[in-house]
Amino acid sequence: MGLKKFIKSVKSTLGLKDFNQEGKKKSLKELLKKLNKRKKSITASLKATEDKKEKKELTEELDIVTLQIKKGKKILYKLYAKK
């Protein structure tokens, strides 16, 4: 997955409309921060809820966000390795 595709998918996941892409590394770092913040909020919601259906939805969302964080770190590593 390329950088542009990754940024587009994360923007749609996070629901960002006013995201300015300044530089590849800087924008990727910013998206990773937002994904980590989202992961923490999902984890907190998951601990607080009792409903099985809601827990399943939150777990699926957590899996998606975790996968996106992993992909983002991999892309960021490649960007730093190109120096």
Side-chain angles (χ1 to χ4, degrees):
M1 176 181 280
L3 180 65
K4 289 182 182 179
K5 260 187 166 177
F6 177 75
I7 289 174
K8 187 176 180 180
S9 70
V10 172
K11 280 174 39 178
S12 67
T13 300
L14 293 175
L16 299 174
K17 291 186 173 66
D18 300 340
F19 184 75
N20 297 334
Q21 186 175 354
E22 297 168 11
K24 290 179 182 179
K25 293 176 188 174
K26 190 172 184 176
S27 61
L28 191 56
K29 285 180 184 180
E30 188 66 31
L31 285 175
L32 284 172
K33 285 180 187 177
K34 290 182 181 187
L35 280 170
N36 281 322
K37 189 182 292 187
R38 178 78 170 257
K39 183 178 176 181
K40 287 179 184 178
S41 69
I42 293 171
T43 305
S45 298
L46 193 60
K47 289 179 182 178
T49 188
E50 295 290 326
D51 187 27
K52 287 184 180 182
K53 186 176 180 181
E54 191 175 341
K55 274 191 176 191
K56 184 177 179 181
E57 291 174 3
L58 287 171
T59 305
E60 289 174 1
E61 188 175 353
L62 183 63
D63 290 340
I64 292 169
V65 170
T66 304
L67 182 65
Q68 287 180 333
I69 290 171
K70 190 175 182 180
K71 286 180 183 179
K73 286 182 179 180
K74 184 177 178 181
I75 293 171
L76 189 64
Y77 178 77
K78 285 182 182 179
L79 286 174
Y80 276 109
K82 286 185 178 182
K83 286 184 177 180

